[in-house]
Amino acid sequence: MKQWLALVARLVVGGVWLYAGLVKLPDPAASIESVRAYELLPGAWVEPVGYLLPPLEVVLGLALVLGVMTRGAAVLSALLLGAFVFGISWAWSQGLEIDCGCFGDGGPNPDAAAEYPWEIARDVGLIAMSVFVVAVGSSRLALDGVLFRHRALEPTDIDGSEHLPELTPDQDDQQEIER
Amino acid sequence: MSVSRSKAQERAERHAAAQAAARRRERRRNLLTGLAVVAVIAALVGGGFLINRANDSAGAIEDAAASGTASSDHSLAVGSADAPHSIVIYEDFLCPLCGIVEQTAGERLTALAEAGKVRLEYRPMVVLDRLGPYSADALNAFFVVQDAAGDEVAKAFHDLLFADQPSESQTTFPDADWLVQKAVEAGADEDEVRAGIEDDARADDVAAATKAAGAAGVTGTPTILLDGQVFRDGRTYEEVADNLVAAVQ
């Protein structure tokens, strides 16, 4: 059951990342201005981060949706969302009226402050789902299960951790007898 | 008894050894798969980064500037064309970041232009027409004033509009009377500008200026070019404006 819930969490968080990244991909200049609007990063960092975030979000979304490196992707997802929550809180505390730029359209927006609590709540919810994926560690319909399959020995844990049965001589004998 | 026991033990040891070997092989295979997956992920992100940098509209703007196709008939220039630096600023009279650039650096850049350090060229355009008619009305008024009273008065009018810039979120924007009043304050003759401001006499030029900016690759304001290169270095737009001044001083 937990593993199905983890699948749902993966799809929701991954879907949000995928969408957020894809809408930002066509306009790198707008992405840069969204980053600058937070007034957080030194000037020299603004451009690289503006270029990096959209593809990073798309790949992160893909990894979560497909279930590739699921745990690592979910950790990164939680960390990145944490950074965004910090950014929005910062903008709020500084009295900046900016569109969060979460889904494109960043920059000044005189009515933005009313959105901050909802944006933070949304991101916190996504963090909770990411943490859940990390905690469960594995979920249904993940490519990880194919990539990191345990071929040599059965049975294996579905999460890919290696809990191989410790064979004692007695058990071995037992198996021999059964054959 | 002892013979069979040692035989069983031997078999168990063989089995354990085979299993350990299989485990090692598998661990190795999973490690290699993991490394390959990480490499693919890194390549995708890195490739996306490079594609993003190549797709940046700054490249198109710089190309247009270099080819000379971006020169505008609807601009206002301050300073000698022989100045060692050139600055081009695309701006919208309603855009708040343009207001920040003007309020932070406008006076200093003008002084530098007059001192021969830089040629400063404004290419006003309309970006924020979705918020109301003010962007277009102000640009129309700018062209009317420039036509009727010349570049110097137009520059003063431009400065006054940014010094007293209305907020983007206003529901009612300054009207024609307000623009006429600013024009007169800047030094224009009311009789020469009122009709043109009220009737949007230069609407065609407003459209043409905006179209020319679009053709030059400009998708947003402020867009600043320093010596043909897009300039946007700074943590904030105040800092961008300060850095711009520092670059031509």
Side-chain angles (χ1 to χ4, degrees):
Chain A
M1 184 60 193
K2 257 191 178 170
Q3 294 190 343
W4 286 108
L5 282 177
L7 169 65
V8 173
R10 245 178 55 209
L11 292 179
V12 171
V13 179
V16 171
W17 279 122
L18 205 52
Y19 174 73
L22 285 176
V23 292
K24 272 178 279 205
L25 269 185
D27 195 349
S31 170
I32 290 169
E33 293 315 322
S34 301
V35 173
R36 195 194 322 278
Y38 282 90
E39 306 190 352
L40 256 173
L41 296 177
W45 288 45
V46 173
E47 262 186 51
V49 172
Y51 290 138
L52 179 67
L53 275 179
L56 182 63
E57 292 177 7
V58 169
V59 173
L60 185 54
L62 274 179
L64 284 170
V65 167
L66 297 177
V68 178
M69 293 270 159
T70 312
R71 238 174 172 162
V75 168
L76 185 60
S77 166
L79 290 177
L80 208 51
L81 285 162
F84 290 173
V85 167
F86 175 78
I88 297 169
S89 310
W90 158 269
W92 199 1
S93 73
Q94 298 295 301
L96 298 176
E97 298 267 359
I98 57 168
D99 200 293
C100 76
C102 312
F103 305 99
D105 279 337
N109 171 359
D111 309 313
E115 299 288 323
Y116 293 154
W118 142 244
E119 285 161 3
I120 290 173
R122 180 197 58 206
D123 286 358
V124 168
L126 291 171
I127 290 174
M129 283 194 253
S130 304
V131 170
F132 180 70
V133 172
V134 177
V136 174
S138 65
S139 51
R140 300 285 166 179
L141 304 178
L143 217 54
D144 277 340
V146 179
L147 287 169
F148 302 103
R149 187 169 43 189
H150 292 260
R151 281 188 196 130
L153 291 165
E154 297 293 337
T156 53
D157 266 356
I158 197 153
D159 66 359
S161 62
E162 309 204 29
H163 297 296
L164 297 167
E166 283 301 319
L167 292 169
T168 63
D170 285 344
Q171 279 176 329
D172 192 30
D173 276 346
Q174 199 66 37
Q175 284 177 359
E176 285 292 314
I177 290 163
E178 275 167 17
R179 277 173 214 158
Chain B
M1 177 72 190
S2 83
V3 172
S4 93
R5 184 174 158 74
S6 81
K7 218 175 170 186
Q9 213 161 5
E10 202 179 290
R11 203 186 305 134
E13 274 162 16
R14 261 208 322 272
H15 191 99
Q19 245 182 356
R23 219 175 296 168
R24 271 198 306 277
R25 275 199 306 277
E26 183 163 278
R27 208 170 282 154
R28 195 179 139 75
R29 194 185 65 86
N30 280 349
L31 181 68
L32 289 177
T33 310
L35 286 176
V37 170
V38 168
V40 169
I41 288 175
L44 285 175
V45 174
F49 178 94
L50 294 177
I51 290 169
N52 247 354
R53 201 169 58 180
N55 279 349
D56 192 335
S57 55
I61 295 168
E62 285 162 7
D63 290 347
S67 69
T69 51
S71 68
S72 170
D73 300 329
H74 300 91
S75 66
L76 171 70
V78 188
S80 159
D82 302 330
H85 291 290
S86 106
I87 290 175
V88 175
I89 302 179
Y90 289 91
E91 56 190 9
D92 176 305
F93 283 107
L94 188 55
C95 125
L97 294 177
C98 306
I100 287 172
V101 170
E102 284 301 325
Q103 284 151 23
T104 309
E107 275 178 34
R108 283 182 288 164
L109 288 176
T110 305
L112 286 166
E114 282 164 355
K117 299 254 191 188
V118 62
R119 177 179 165 86
L120 178 61
E121 186 181 342
Y122 289 107
R123 294 183 189 157
M125 63 188 288
V126 174
V127 175
L128 297 172
D129 47 348
R130 66 189 151 84
L131 297 176
Y134 178 79
S135 282
D137 287 351
L139 185 50
N140 171 72
F142 173 81
F143 287 139
V144 169
V145 169
Q146 189 180 25
D147 219 24
D151 278 357
E152 221 164 289
V153 174
K155 173 67 168 60
F157 179 63
H158 159 277
D159 294 349
L160 284 172
L161 290 188
F162 276 113
D164 204 6
Q165 192 186 34
S167 158
E168 260 189 322
S169 65
Q170 265 168 253
T171 43
T172 52
F173 287 100
D175 56 10
D177 277 342
W178 187 88
L179 289 167
V180 170
Q181 189 194 319
K182 292 287 177 199
V184 171
E185 206 179 312
D189 188 337
E190 180 170 349
D191 295 338
E192 288 177 18
V193 297
R194 177 169 282 281
I197 290 175
E198 284 178 347
D199 303 339
D200 283 341
R202 303 294 297 271
D204 288 350
D205 293 301
V206 169
T210 301
K211 199 177 158 197
V218 177
T219 55
T221 53
T223 292
I224 303 168
L225 286 149
L226 170 62
D227 299 329
Q229 302 295 305
V230 169
F231 188 90
R232 51 183 181 189
D233 172 26
R235 186 176 61 87
T236 66
Y237 259 95
E238 283 89 345
E239 212 177 288
V240 171
D242 282 336
N243 289 342
L244 182 65
V245 171
V248 296
Q249 250 164 359

